[in-house]
Amino acid sequence: MINNKKSNILLLFLIISITLAGCTSNKSSKELTLVKQEQLILGTFGSISAYSNSEKEGNEAISKAYDRIKEIENLMSTSIEGSDVYNMNKKAGVESIAVNPSTMEVLLEGLEYSSITKEAFNIGLGSLIELWGIGKDWQKVPTSEEIADAKKHIDLNKLEVSKENNTAFIKDPKILVDLGGIAKGYAVDESIRILKENGIKSGVVNLGGDVYALGTKTDGSKWRIGINNPEIGSSNSIARISISDKSVVTSGDYERYFIENGVRYHHIIDPKTGIPANNGLVSVTIVSDKSIDGDVLSTASFILGLDEGLKLIESRPGVEGLLITKDRQVYVSSGLKDAVEILDNNFKIVN
Ligand code: FAD
Ligand code: MG
């Protein structure tokens, strides 16, 4: 929802909800305390809830999880001066730089996924992402010449990484690395790791739509995660998915966009065309063990479209998906059918 007109409203809403619910606690029937903290982080809305033995213990665990997310932001943001990604981009074509092992882990995953998705997912797409500037002050529809020029600078063969030395070098000075489609998922996984290390067995992390549900609710039942209605102006859940110890990540065309001459342009760019993917899908949700996989595969499947996207999802062990088309048809991968419940009858499971 980061178009110009709506961003202030969103910010106001977030600030209000943080003021009201920034830190809450409730006793559950098993005398565990539910603690919740909300924060603006990674340029999005973060919410972490955890059941704990005490409010103090819960708040400490959640604060440590947020510290780790902040650390990841400081390493992997394109805009924070001195971050690993900022430094890589700044030294593109000049020299190799040392990166933190966490950044290396995400770079390597990103490169592997680029090859798995035949570069539908491409961590070297920064030149195109900057050109479109979705959500930024300079957002506009670029000319076809500008797009053609930026497309010349997305070749991942020019990105050299050394796992042994923890160094990275972009050999083409015009290639920019952007981890916006993968690092949020990594941050969810890391925050879950920190919560577990601090004694939390049950809770939910949500970083701007990348969700992980840890354990079960205190009555032993699964968590139920709502899938947003992807239509602009709607705020209901069209379905819910029951899960435990799983990640649920959604990518859609309805959250970050701008409108020019009556056409809506969103933030998921097809590297083949250099323009926002437009293949009839409006939202892809991935259920997986790790959120980093869900983050990448939701974005990649969105770009690949219904048939190729479903094929990709079915080909990945332990990965399930739910894809929604413009005409409100819902496609669910084979292993997910029993876990999905449709809540809005305008949407129908068709496969
Ligand atoms: P996803 O579908 O998961 O990802 C879309 C994003 O991936 C795009 O925004 C783009 O960055 C990238 N992308 C687009 N096409 C492709 C492609 N073909 N292949 C690979 N990647 C692609 N947002 C702010 O507004 N301000 C901030 O300060 C800010 N800081 C951030 C810092 C970090 C470390 C990260 C990870 C993100 C940050 N964001 C910031 C971005 C914000 O959180 C995004 O909304 C988010 O990364 C995109 O997530 P999504 O789930 O909406 O979309
Ligand atoms: Mg994603």
Side-chain angles (χ1 to χ4, degrees):
M1 216 215 285
I2 309 290
N3 64 358
N4 272 347
K5 285 183 190 160
K6 290 186 181 165
S7 58
N8 288 343
I9 301 167
L10 173 69
L11 197 62
L12 186 65
F13 165 74
L14 293 181
I15 289 166
I16 291 168
S17 59
I18 287 163
T19 312
L20 294 177
C23 187
T24 55
S25 69
N26 286 305
K27 284 276 177 196
S28 82
S29 54
K30 288 190 177 171
E31 294 307 311
L32 286 172
T33 300
L34 176 63
V35 185
K36 179 175 179 179
Q37 290 182 31
E38 296 176 326
Q39 259 190 44
L40 284 178
I41 198 154
L42 301 173
T44 190
F45 179 56
S47 166
I48 303 182
S49 311
Y51 280 103
S52 176
N53 293 323
S54 72
E55 194 173 335
K56 181 170 174 285
E57 225 175 87
N59 272 318
E60 276 173 8
I62 293 175
S63 297
K64 284 181 189 164
Y66 274 119
D67 289 348
R68 176 66 179 137
I69 300 168
K70 193 70 206 159
E71 208 169 86
I72 292 166
E73 181 169 16
N74 287 333
L75 290 171
M76 300 181 206
S77 160
T78 50
S79 59
I80 296 177
E81 222 167 297
S83 81
D84 282 348
V85 171
Y86 181 96
N87 288 341
M88 277 175 74
N89 289 339
K90 197 156 188 222
K91 293 291 182 184
V94 180
E95 62 185 352
S96 155
I97 66 141
V99 298
N100 185 281
S102 299
T103 312
M104 180 54 63
E105 202 180 326
V106 176
L107 285 172
L108 290 171
E109 284 270 354
L111 285 171
E112 198 184 333
Y113 266 118
S114 290
S115 116
I116 290 167
T117 63
K118 301 192 188 82
E119 298 197 7
F121 187 83
N122 181 333
I123 57 168
L125 214 62
S127 59
L128 275 165
I129 291 165
E130 285 292 297
L131 182 63
W132 281 91
I134 313 272
K136 307 273 169 53
D137 296 342
W138 63 88
Q139 61 187 11
K140 64 155 178 42
V141 180
T143 64
S144 41
E145 289 77 24
E146 286 174 318
I147 291 173
D149 186 51
K151 269 180 63 189
K152 288 181 196 148
H153 305 287
I154 61 171
D155 178 5
L156 287 175
N157 291 314
K158 305 259 169 65
L159 172 58
E160 217 172 62
V161 296
S162 163
K163 194 180 173 191
E164 294 70 39
N165 303 321
N166 278 319
T167 55
F169 178 34
I170 308 173
K171 292 190 276 180
D172 173 344
K174 284 192 172 172
I175 290 181
L176 298 173
V177 163
D178 182 305
L179 300 178
I182 182 168
K184 200 149 59 93
Y186 178 74
V188 170
D189 293 334
E190 282 295 284
S191 56
I192 288 291
R193 180 177 67 76
I194 301 287
L195 290 179
K196 282 184 184 166
E197 268 177 24
N198 286 276
I200 304 296
K201 295 190 175 72
S202 166
V204 176
V205 172
N206 180 355
L207 296 181
D210 288 21
V211 177
Y212 190 98
L214 175 64
T216 58
K217 291 194 274 181
T218 47
D219 63 4
S221 64
K222 290 185 174 178
W223 297 99
R224 292 196 289 202
I225 309 297
I227 306 300
N228 284 344
N229 186 327
E231 292 170 353
I232 306 292
S234 306
S235 56
N236 63 316
S237 293
I238 68 109
R240 64 183 169 207
I241 300 183
S242 298
I243 49 157
S244 160
D245 286 322
K246 294 266 181 218
S247 155
V248 178
V249 173
T250 300
S251 279
D253 68 357
Y254 55 95
E255 278 184 334
R256 289 186 177 233
Y257 61 85
F258 67 87
I259 294 174
E260 198 174 296
N261 295 329
V263 181
R264 191 156 53 82
Y265 299 93
H266 63 84
H267 68 137
I268 303 174
I269 312 284
D270 183 345
K272 275 198 181 137
T273 59
I275 64 174
N278 182 12
N279 51 35
L281 286 179
V282 286
S283 142
V284 176
T285 298
I286 298 290
V287 178
S288 54
D289 292 332
K290 283 169 70 193
S291 205
I292 190 168
D293 299 313
D295 201 3
V296 171
L297 291 170
S298 59
T299 309
S301 306
F302 190 95
I303 291 164
L304 289 168
L306 182 59
D307 294 342
E308 288 295 309
L310 253 180
K311 247 190 244 168
L312 172 66
I313 292 163
E314 296 283 10
S315 75
R316 306 298 299 162
V319 173
E320 302 296 339
L322 180 151
L323 300 84
I324 307 177
T325 65
K326 263 182 200 151
D327 51 2
R328 297 176 170 173
Q329 300 200 322
V330 180
Y331 291 79
V332 181
S333 67
S334 48
L336 196 63
K337 291 193 172 141
D338 291 344
V340 177
E341 187 188 345
I342 294 288
L343 302 174
D344 180 337
N345 288 330
N346 293 310
F347 292 79
K348 297 233 167 344
I349 297 181
V350 292
N351 68 330

